[in-house]
Amino acid sequence: KTDLRSKIFPSMKGNGICLGWGPDEFINVSTASKYGVEIVAADWSYNLTVLSGFPLITIPKKASPPIVQENNVHYVTFLMSDGDNQQWNLGNNYSVYKLFGHPNRDKLSLGWTMSPSLYYLAPIVFKLYYESISSEKEENNFIVSPSGNGYIFPSKYDKNKLDSFIDKLNKYMKCVNQKYVAVIDDSSFHDVELWDKFTAKSNIDGIFYLDYKRHDKFQGEILWSNDKPIVSCRDLLWDTIQNEDELVEKINERVRMGETDVKKPSAYTFVYVHVWSKGVHNVEDVVSRLRQNPKVRIVTPEVFMELIKNNVER
């Protein structure tokens, strides 16, 4: 209950972590954030006592492919949701056909959100994920799941604890060779002063922003923080909100409307995929159709951000 959380969370010293979940996502995360506590969905995580006993190691990552500079194209990146859910990453995500276990995953240039808690509480499993994408012919990549070390709303997080939260996140990103963070927050996209705290760090090169009330609320708008991109979600692949046909039509329409000048934000589309209603096979369908358009390029989130940094006018 909220009353119980409001008694327990203030008693936690430093940046507290709550392993579990609650009946209402928004109230649960808002309450935890108010007191500087991170939420990690872990109420069905098994064997953490054993898994956390393995030593932490620096995780190697193969080099990203060279960035190909083009103009008169439209870039699209897909980011799979719910990587903040530790129990899901420890459960069937790795092997299930619909998800990470899809046999054609390596042909789609996907992005996967991954909880830092997995690195600390199950490092051997975290390493297994990294080894899987390192053996692929085509690049997939991981970025930090919302909203950093654990699920928080940064704009609601205890201001006296936010700096230490970000310091820990920055160290983690160095250990696992990740550059970008996905953030879910409550109508805070334009709060550049808030994002400056993140982008001031050497290992945080940009943010993928998702609004809580509707992830695509800010429709692909791009802001700059310490000359690093804060990119809002432009489209969703999500049952009852936007299906494959609608997504393909939207992106092809952008090309028809001339949204292919890579110096402008309109030439970039960040798509968030809701893994509870859509899977990798749905992304594969969209990608196969988009690739029929000679002006569409599908890239990983990491390459997507590098292209924005290289091309888009400030």
Side-chain angles (χ1 to χ4, degrees), residues 175-238:
C175 289
V176 300
N177 288 290
Q178 291 183 24
K179 296 181 178 181
Y180 301 100
V181 183
V183 165
I184 296 176
D185 211 331
D186 184 25
S187 299
S188 64
F189 176 67
H190 292 110
D191 188 354
V192 176
E193 187 176 344
L194 174 62
W195 310 130
D196 284 347
K197 294 178 180 293
F198 286 82
T199 58
K201 301 302 179 182
S202 59
N203 300 310
I204 301 176
D205 287 351
I207 291 173
F208 287 92
Y209 180 87
L210 303 146
D211 202 70
Y212 180 82
K213 292 182 176 66
R214 170 117 176 185
H215 290 337
D216 61 348
K217 176 180 178 179
F218 293 96
Q219 287 293 294
E221 187 178 347
I222 297 174
L223 302 176
W224 295 93
S225 167
N226 292 312
D227 204 37
K228 297 175 181 179
I230 314 299
V231 181
S232 66
C233 177
R234 193 171 186 182
D235 282 295
L236 300 167
L237 186 53
W238 192 314

Side-chain angles (χ1 to χ4, degrees), residues 6-7 15 64-65 81-82 100 105 111 118 126 140 144 146 149 154 234 238 258 281 288 290-291 306 309:
S6 296
K7 292 178 181 178
N15 298 95
S64 298
S81 77
D82 284 81
F100 196 80
R105 181 193 71 226
L118 200 67
F126 193 99
N140 279 229
V144 179
N149 310 314
R234 193 171 186 182
W238 192 314
H281 61 291
S288 66
L290 288 177
R291 283 177 172 163
E306 295 297 321
K309 286 192 288 187

Side-chain angles (χ1 to χ4, degrees), residues 76 78 102 104 107-110 237 244-245 247-248 251-252 280-294 296-298:
V76 181
F78 293 88
H102 194 283
N104 291 332
K107 299 179 176 64
L108 303 175
S109 297
L110 286 172
L237 186 53
E244 293 88 318
D245 292 340
L247 179 58
V248 170
I251 294 171
N252 283 333
V280 173
H281 61 291
N282 302 109
V283 179
E284 183 178 32
D285 176 33
V286 172
V287 168
S288 66
R289 287 194 270 168
L290 288 177
R291 283 177 172 163
Q292 296 174 26
N293 189 323
V296 172
R297 301 289 182 270
I298 312 297

Side-chain angles (χ1 to χ4, degrees), residues 23 49 95-96 101 248 303:
T49 302
S95 58
V96 166
V248 170
V303 171

